[in-house]
């Protein structure tokens, strides 16, 4: 059977996902019996298009690459009554998609408009796949319950470490293990900055370079003050440790007070500063933090360099299991969408 | 529904698996709707017992812990016609198990008796779950085809890195990625020995310590000459890269020529000797090797110490993904059996 998919947002992640679908069409069909059809795309800037018979993905990519609007899409199916000018909610409600990929912009303060997108999808019996941290960080358990009530899935692999397996790893191959602690490097931008500072550059200079490379945003607060990592800590606690952690319960410190002198002196002690995210079950519940820590060079996390992410699960049956991989990127985050859709494909046969 | 399981072999792995089943019964039922019943155990030394209504697992564990035979098992079900004295083949054929856990001894030269156990199970329409490297290293594609023909599964997570997710990771959360290379530390014994040698002990002394700790066997050839790692390389090439690699195609070198002087001199160069397993797609097919390599300390594999294992997949969509975890242990390998059975439970509903 064909999976019918709508994309809410057609930026880097959505385009990366579409490129993968085009490139892997045959392999996905042969190996996993998976066929996908993009039946709608709606983007606040790039316009919108919907066709119940399926869109020509390459034409959509070409249009936006040429700076044209999706509304200019030429449909080759006859009498298909393509929808144009549908906003995100109309697309979720009116398109014939079974799976909604929520790829609109992230706002971790309000979670909007993504939370409304999720709720609308669930109420209409449609699965949500998203790399947007807002909904999961702010309303995970409420959304999860609403999804379950409507017998659909709320899939969020891309919210932590892009497509590198974290949530599907814990819920799939690690199923049966109880996780007592999670510790990791969950923000690539700050890890890149600390890596570069060790090469001799000062904080301000490194931040500028990170902004030029697109790692850090014009307002870098989300990364350097630890808000991005904190949102991921909240998601992991909720999803993998069943703890309804709020932002107020996470001790958060960024890297803005780390100086070149501190980095140099750590080096002389065979240690290294890293922005470490931690969630630990304690006698009194849970302790969660994001803060710079000086690790011995023998610590596996001390050797994660550049924009790479890493995460260690402490489990009862397997001891420590660590996964190291990309934390961002067009194909990497595009793949997070595919991996969640394939998980739905495996679990739900129609 | 209840999954009915037979254990061929009741040593460390089988007992570890049973302990996990006892400990996790409620969690597995509540979270995954999973219920298991051990309906038969057959061990060449510890005897055999089979009951179609399900065995009391704790009683079986207690019997072998007390040095008694399984034949002395007291069944509390009436008129159940418990089978006693069944050998492995009789157990596979006559028990009412749906899943056969092949946990007999490993012989990577002939693969027997495990290969016969697998074939018998498949021909009787029963799944095989095993941590035994023999069948997969010697006859993977033949066995896989026979399993598929009989619509059952051939599950082998425990053959590489015990229960740490490798095969289920690649076939689950990494599905859709194409793996172009695999590189890792796949033998815990030799990694432990190299770690200890760095602390100042000589090769002979370290080997003796590894034998005392149960890491190395009385005849340590399988580990120190790289045969164990080679079997894993062959399994990974067959399962994850679709390459029917034979032992002759793997360049194999052990650690027996590594001296304390070499370890010391590597240290002074900020490098470290590791026994590295590699499989790489090349223009001419595939290159596979197990050999000592001197890694820069900045290489993530250089910092994997002690008996820990690690494996890096080079993929087209996610770049490098590394998993670090236990390579052996009672619960760790016991868990490999559970994780494969849960995978069957998810995929096959009746």
């Amino acid at each position: 059977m064909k999976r019918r998919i709508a994309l809410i947002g057609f930026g880097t992640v959505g385009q990366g996902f579409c490129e993968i679908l085009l490139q892997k069409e045959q392999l996905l069909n042969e190996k996993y019996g998976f066929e996908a059809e993009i039946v709608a795309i709606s983007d606040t800037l790039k316009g919108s298009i919907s066709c119940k018979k399926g869109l020509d993905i390459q034409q959509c990519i070409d249009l936006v690459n040429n700076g044209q609007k999706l509304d200019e899409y030429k449909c080759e199916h006859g009498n298909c009554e393509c929808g144009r000018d549908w906003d995100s909610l109309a697309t979720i409600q009116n398109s014939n998609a079974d799976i909604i990929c929520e790829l609109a912009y992230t706002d971790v303060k309000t979670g909007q408009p993504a939370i409304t997108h999720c709720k609308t999808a669930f109420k209409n019996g449609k699965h949500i796949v998203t790399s947007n941290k807002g909904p999961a960080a702010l309303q995970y358990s409420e959304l999860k319950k609403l999804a379950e009530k409507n017998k659909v899935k709320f899939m969020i692999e891309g919210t932590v470490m892009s497509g590198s397996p974290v949530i599907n790893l814990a819920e799939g191959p690690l199923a049966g293990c109880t996780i007592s602690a999670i510790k990791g490097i969950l923000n690539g931008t700050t890890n890149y900055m600390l890596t570069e500072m060790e090469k001799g550059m000062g904080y301000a200079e490194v931040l500028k370079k990170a902004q030029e490379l697109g790692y850090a945003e014009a307002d870098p607060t989300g990364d350097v003050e630890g808000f991005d990592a904190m949102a991921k800590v909240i998601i992991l606690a909720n999803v993998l440790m069943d703890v309804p952690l709020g932002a107020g319960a996470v001790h958060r410190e960024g890297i803005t007070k780390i100086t070149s002198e501190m980095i140099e002196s750590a080096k002389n002690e065979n240690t290294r500063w890293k922005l470490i995210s931690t969630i630990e079950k304690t006698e009194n519940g849970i302790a969660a933090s994001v803060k710079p820590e000086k690790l011995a060079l023998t610590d596996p996390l001390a050797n994660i360099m550049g924009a790479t992410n890493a995460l260690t699960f402490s489990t009862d049956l397997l001891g420590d299991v660590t996964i190291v991989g990309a934390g961002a990127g067009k194909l990497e985050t595009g793949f997070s969408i595919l991996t969640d859709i394939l998980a739905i494909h495996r679990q739900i046969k129609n």
Side-chain angles (χ1 to χ4, degrees), chain A residues 120-163:
Chain A
T120 308
F122 296 151
K123 286 175 188 162
N124 283 273
K126 299 178 181 195
H127 308 287
I128 279 282
V129 173
T130 186
S131 56
N132 189 326
K133 287 181 291 292
L138 295 170
Q139 290 193 15
Y140 179 74
S141 56
E142 188 183 337
L143 290 168
K144 176 86 177 168
K145 272 180 209 148
L146 187 61
E148 281 171 359
K149 193 180 146 196
N150 289 282
K151 300 200 171 90
V152 290
K153 296 281 174 185
F154 178 37
M155 303 293 285
I156 58 169
E157 179 67 74
T159 59
V160 182
M161 284 181 69
S162 73

Side-chain angles (χ1 to χ4, degrees), chain A residues 30 33 36 105 133 136 145 181 190 212-213 226 229 235 248 252 270 275:
Chain A
E30 285 172 5
Y105 56 93
K133 287 181 291 292
K145 272 180 209 148
T190 47
E212 284 166 6
L213 286 167
I235 291 171
R252 179 190 49 75
N270 283 321
L275 185 65

Side-chain angles (χ1 to χ4, degrees), chain A residues 78-130:
Chain A
N79 305 319
C80 58
E81 297 166 14
C82 281
R84 295 174 200 257
D85 303 319
W86 285 359
D87 65 8
S88 54
L89 290 179
T91 302
I92 295 168
Q93 288 165 330
N94 302 343
S95 77
N96 61 336
D98 311 307
I99 299 171
I100 308 294
C101 300
E102 208 296 326
L103 310 172
Y105 56 93
T106 296
D107 179 338
V108 286
K109 286 196 183 114
T110 68
Q112 293 296 3
I115 288 176
T116 303
H117 294 160
C118 293
K119 289 184 178 170
T120 308
F122 296 151
K123 286 175 188 162
N124 283 273
K126 299 178 181 195
H127 308 287
I128 279 282
V129 173
T130 186

Side-chain angles (χ1 to χ4, degrees), chain A residues 5-274:
Chain A
I5 298 166
L7 308 182
I8 306 303
F10 198 49
T12 313
V13 183
Q15 290 175 47
F17 170 59
C18 283
E19 283 174 20
I20 294 172
L21 278 187
L22 286 173
Q23 186 190 327
K24 297 274 179 170
E25 189 180 355
Q26 197 184 344
L27 176 141
L28 293 172
N29 192 353
E30 285 172 5
K31 260 186 122 165
Y32 311 107
F34 175 80
E35 286 182 275
E37 213 162 52
I38 305 288
V39 295
I41 305 177
S42 178
D43 185 289
T44 43
L45 298 173
K46 302 183 183 81
S48 77
I49 181 70
S50 147
C51 175
K52 290 196 194 306
K53 295 182 182 170
L55 296 169
D56 172 355
I57 302 179
Q58 189 62 57
Q59 190 189 147
C60 297
I61 294 175
D62 291 344
L63 280 172
V64 298
N65 282 345
N66 292 335
Q68 291 173 276
K69 291 256 182 183
L70 289 170
D71 309 63
E72 299 175 48
Y73 179 88
K74 288 186 180 60
C75 187
E76 294 191 352
H77 303 123
N79 305 319
C80 58
E81 297 166 14
C82 281
R84 295 174 200 257
D85 303 319
W86 285 359
D87 65 8
S88 54
L89 290 179
T91 302
I92 295 168
Q93 288 165 330
N94 302 343
S95 77
N96 61 336
D98 311 307
I99 299 171
I100 308 294
C101 300
E102 208 296 326
L103 310 172
Y105 56 93
T106 296
D107 179 338
V108 286
K109 286 196 183 114
T110 68
Q112 293 296 3
I115 288 176
T116 303
H117 294 160
C118 293
K119 289 184 178 170
T120 308
F122 296 151
K123 286 175 188 162
N124 283 273
K126 299 178 181 195
H127 308 287
I128 279 282
V129 173
T130 186
S131 56
N132 189 326
K133 287 181 291 292
L138 295 170
Q139 290 193 15
Y140 179 74
S141 56
E142 188 183 337
L143 290 168
K144 176 86 177 168
K145 272 180 209 148
L146 187 61
E148 281 171 359
K149 193 180 146 196
N150 289 282
K151 300 200 171 90
V152 290
K153 296 281 174 185
F154 178 37
M155 303 293 285
I156 58 169
E157 179 67 74
T159 59
V160 182
M161 284 181 69
S162 73
S164 305
V166 173
I167 294 168
N168 290 321
L169 172 66
E171 296 194 334
L174 293 182
C177 285
T178 302
I179 297 170
S180 57
I182 297 177
K183 183 176 173 183
I185 294 172
L186 297 178
N187 180 271
T189 307
T190 47
N191 204 53
Y192 167 81
M193 289 173 66
L194 292 172
T195 301
E196 290 301 301
M197 281 175 80
E198 198 174 319
K199 295 180 190 162
M201 272 194 271
Y203 179 86
E205 198 184 347
V206 165
L207 175 58
K208 205 176 147 223
K209 197 174 159 191
Q211 285 168 324
E212 284 166 6
L213 286 167
Y215 287 161
E217 295 182 46
D219 174 2
T221 316
D223 289 320
V224 300
E225 294 288 7
F227 288 101
D228 172 75
M230 183 180 75
K232 292 165 180 169
V233 160
I234 293 170
I235 291 171
L236 292 172
N238 274 277
V239 181
L240 302 184
M241 295 168 86
D242 289 324
V243 178
L245 201 67
V250 183
H251 171 90
R252 179 190 49 75
E253 242 181 280
I255 63 158
T256 51
K257 287 176 191 151
I258 303 284
T259 62
S260 297
E261 291 69 34
M262 287 164 75
I263 298 234
E264 194 58 28
S265 117
K267 208 171 172 178
N268 296 332
E269 297 164 11
N270 283 321
T271 59
R272 184 174 279 146
W273 285 100
K274 291 288 179 189

